[in-house]
Amino acid sequence: MSGVKSPLSEADQKVVGEALQGALADLVDLSLVAKQVHWNVVGPRFRSVHLQLDEVVDTARQYTDAVAERSSAVGVTPDGRAGTVSRTSAIGEAPQGWIKDGDAVRILVEALGAVIDGMRERIAATAVPDPVTQDLLIGVAADLEKHAWMFQAESA
């Protein structure tokens, strides 16, 4: 079976493919961590944190699809399998059991920070080889930074 022909050179395709795969793994994991915390958050700020977590899940899932489709468009097969995500995500594992609302906020601030750091590295790495991918990653980072700001404001 032949794959999709890339509009990028082989060297550029490698750099861009690695950036997109890293972004994909982080976004899949972010959606899972946020949902795990969403199901288990307790405390006086339960409702606001619970709803805010779903907003992060929605953003991560939206961009997961966009990143995977961009990967396919440049001729790199995206890999969102659980094992790949588990091995390569920059996010730590979510705790098991009930999670106090303040801890939920901290967990999400840390998870978002890890993903944002990776996105910023990928933005820099894709500037020359593929500005189209860079533009997508800039949008991802901007939306995740907004979520991080809102969660940080929860604990101020």
Side-chain angles (χ1 to χ4, degrees), residues 42-91:
V42 294
R45 293 181 297 163
F46 162 80
R47 183 158 172 74
S48 64
V49 173
H50 185 79
L51 294 173
Q52 201 172 354
L53 287 161
D54 264 344
E55 292 172 6
V56 172
V57 171
D58 290 344
T59 298
R61 287 180 178 167
Q62 171 192 350
Y63 280 119
T64 295
D65 197 45
V67 165
E69 288 177 355
R70 179 68 190 154
S71 186
S72 293
V74 299
V76 177
T77 58
D79 187 353
R81 296 174 300 162
T84 301
V85 171
S86 176
R87 280 190 314 276
T88 61
S89 172
I91 302 172

Side-chain angles (χ1 to χ4, degrees), residues 22-35:
L24 179 63
D26 285 353
L27 288 166
V28 168
D29 201 20
L30 179 62
S31 72
L32 295 172
V33 166
K35 203 47 132 164

Side-chain angles (χ1 to χ4, degrees), residues 30 56 91 107-117 144 147-148 151:
L30 179 62
V56 172
I91 302 172
I107 290 164
L108 257 291
V109 168
E110 289 173 6
L112 286 162
V115 176
I116 291 164
D117 287 347
L144 295 180
H147 285 299
F151 271 104

